[in-house]
Amino acid sequence: MPQHTPAEPDFFARHRELLDRAVAGTANREYWSPYPESPSTSVYGEDAPKQGEAAFREQLGKPFEPTGHPGVGTVPATEVSPYGFELGVTYPRVTPDEAVAAATDGIGPWRAAGPDVRAGVAAEILARINAASFEIAHAVQHTTGQAFVMAFQAGGPHAQERGLEAVAYAWAEQKRHPAAARWSKPQRKGEPLALDKKFTPVGRGLALLIACNTFPTWNSYPGLFASLVTGNPVIVKPHPGAVLPLAISVRIAREVLAEAGFDPNLVILAAEQPTDRNAALLAVRSEVRIIDFTGSTEFGDWLEANARQAVVYTEKAGLNAVVLDSTDDYKGLLRNLAFSLSLYSGQMCTTPQNLLIPHTGIDTDQGPRTAEEFAADLAGALDKLLGDPARAAGTLGAIVNDGVRERLEQAATVGRIVHASTAIALPEHPDAVVRTPLVVRLDAEADRGTYTREWFGPVSFVIGTDSTAHSLRILRESVRAHGALTATVHSTDEDVLAAAEQVALEVGVHLSENLTGGVFVNQSAAFSDFHGSAANPAASATLSDPAFVTGRFATLQSRRPARVAEGGDV
């Protein structure tokens, strides 16, 4: 295996200022964006868009072959663009035995390198991933269905910032203790008892990253980089429908690791077919000590129950709700909520599903609005937002898979439709499936069985309740039982806002209040917003906080009697 030597590139020195700034960002929680989110030639260079698309197109229909990657044979092409064409990319086939053996072979030098070197390597990987943002954006667009600008931002710079955030936490937590210390205990007679002690952060062991279809990089980079920087090799298991974005990321990581003098197999791609069970097989192996998972509640719960040898970080599903009580900006509320329901066709774990409003309605600056009137007004706001097909396509993206389409069809049968889901044609992608959001009226008591399950996709329910207090009670009960990634409240009454905050704290969900402008509940900013919460059933981790990294390593000590210098001094 490669051995790290001082002659290798000093990536830590290169990125020390960035790392210090990132650590400061995790502490002050202010706005900071180290990777520009605009896909502009003035930011990334005149040729970057063309080169990125060309790199993506060049890969289509060919084997993806990272240099020196383990495995024999290929995984057949599994990715189909939601915009209507097969990617045709095959990947190295790596068995669980091969992946475990190769990934663990280089642990020793990686552990010995220490937190500074590992953080520097991770920062360099992110810098090169950022340089490949246009290539990755096309890969994200054509595996997830996100519109290009969203694919660039969420799949590129925003994901990279979440990765850097994890690097910052991992680096800082490993540096919390000194590398060495002199312990000296005074004695009543004679010399003090003195020991020299060393403290070494040691990774927990092999990490398994199980990625999702809809946000392959955004949800994966935090776990990938948290594990790497804490000294652990990582097996990256992409969703069969969204392999390429992570394959590109793995290729870049392996190149940087090799250039830095480490074993590139510290990061391995474990692509598989939909019928394979490698994730489940790997998850229960004794060598796998860390698991990061984004996906269904069913498999997430299975991992938490069965991967007993590992620390398991999950993001699963939940019931995101909006409590509507009153507003002094009704038009802004409608615009904001319509966009939140439409963004990426609701295929986000943070999209609101249950809109809770008293039957008698809410007070607004436009006058009182009953629940029925609110539902009609929301439908009108959606039509206004999505009335132009070109603009609508840029907001909605495409439906990612058949499961979402089937749920959308089923949801149309469960209540009274107030906004029907309609198809939008894309002339440049005639085979793409693009749908506007479906909004259905339900009753809080009669339809409890419907809205207390997740309907992932462009499906939302306007649910009539007896009162705002009743709405808050439903919020409390649904999050406690089923979890949530987000909760929202709209009210001009400080007592209501305080009550909503208490409910959110009680059940462990992040709360947004009175969003009527350009900030939306389903978006979160690295270095300021926390995403997910182990305090409710929808997740077992937060992106990112100290708890997200500290379980990935232990600080081990060695000690020996202090050497006595000439003259008797210890």
Side-chain angles (χ1 to χ4, degrees), residues 20-47:
D20 286 339
R21 180 65 183 85
V23 171
T26 64
N28 63 40
R29 314 308 295 182
E30 297 172 356
Y31 171 78
W32 182 55
S33 181
Y35 304 116
E37 68 177 4
S38 173
S40 170
T41 56
S42 64
V43 175
Y44 286 93
E46 190 68 32
D47 295 329

Side-chain angles (χ1 to χ4, degrees), residues 184-470:
S184 181
K185 180 180 180 181
Q187 302 296 297
R188 291 182 62 186
K189 295 181 179 180
E191 299 297 325
L193 296 176
L195 296 174
D196 284 332
K197 302 183 180 184
K198 293 194 300 183
F199 305 98
T200 304
V202 176
R204 184 181 177 93
L206 180 59
L208 172 64
L209 170 62
I210 306 171
C212 67
N213 195 170
T214 48
F215 287 88
T217 57
W218 197 97
N219 279 110
S220 297
Y221 285 174
L224 169 63
F225 286 101
S227 287
L228 266 184
V229 175
T230 51
N232 307 289
V234 184
I235 297 173
V236 178
K237 209 296 292 182
H239 188 283
V243 184
L244 187 56
L246 285 172
I248 297 168
S249 305
V250 167
R251 181 194 68 207
I252 293 170
R254 291 173 59 84
E255 291 169 353
V256 174
L257 285 163
E259 188 176 326
F262 297 104
D263 189 342
N265 288 332
L266 288 165
V267 179
I268 285 177
L269 182 72
E272 66 175 2
Q273 295 176 270
T275 54
D276 292 337
R277 298 187 63 254
N278 287 341
L281 294 174
L282 282 164
V284 295
R285 290 188 61 128
S286 60
E287 302 95 335
V288 172
R289 304 302 308 283
I290 303 164
I291 298 174
D292 289 278
F293 168 77
T294 306
S296 70
T297 297
E298 180 182 12
F299 191 55
D301 288 347
W302 183 90
L303 288 170
E304 291 168 357
N306 291 279
R308 308 300 297 177
Q309 83 293 347
V311 56
V312 181
Y313 302 95
T314 62
E315 181 190 305
K316 300 173 289 187
L319 304 179
N320 303 321
V322 179
V323 172
L324 296 147
D325 172 76
S326 54
T327 181
D328 57 9
D329 184 4
Y330 188 56
K331 291 182 178 179
L333 183 158
L334 292 170
R335 286 194 301 268
N336 187 284
L337 190 53
F339 185 81
S340 296
L341 301 184
S342 301
L343 184 61
Y344 185 32
S345 298
Q347 298 169 121
M348 303 174 69
C349 61
T350 49
T351 301
Q353 173 179 295
N354 296 335
L355 315 181
L356 302 164
I357 181 171
H359 292 295
T360 54
I362 61 176
D363 290 329
T364 83
D365 58 321
Q366 305 294 308
R369 307 299 290 172
T370 66
E372 289 296 327
E373 290 169 331
F374 166 77
D377 293 341
L378 178 61
L382 286 166
D383 288 339
K384 184 175 181 180
L385 174 68
L386 305 173
D388 175 60
R391 180 185 175 190
T395 300
L396 295 167
I399 300 298
V400 66
N401 56 40
D402 290 340
V404 176
R405 288 193 289 270
E406 291 166 2
R407 270 191 300 277
L408 182 58
E409 292 172 1
Q410 183 184 0
T413 68
V414 300
R416 183 167 59 81
I417 295 173
V418 294
H419 185 271
S421 177
T422 58
I424 292 180
L426 298 184
E428 66 274 30
H429 298 294
D431 294 325
V433 177
V434 181
R435 296 287 187 272
T436 62
L438 172 72
V439 181
V440 176
R441 278 284 278 125
L442 298 178
D443 178 78
E445 296 303 323
D447 299 307
R448 179 177 292 271
T450 297
Y451 67 79
T452 53
R453 55 169 283 199
E454 188 198 30
W455 296 75
F456 184 78
V459 177
S460 293
F461 304 114
V462 175
I463 302 168
T465 68
D466 295 337
S467 63
T468 296
H470 187 201

Side-chain angles (χ1 to χ4, degrees), residues 110-127:
W110 188 238
R111 177 177 62 237
D116 288 352
V117 170
R118 292 195 294 265
V121 170
E124 180 65 18
I125 294 170
L126 282 165

Side-chain angles (χ1 to χ4, degrees), residues 56-63 86-90:
F56 167 73
R57 298 290 176 189
E58 176 64 21
Q59 182 61 61
L60 298 181
K62 298 177 182 177
E86 295 184 0
L87 273 62
V89 182
T90 62

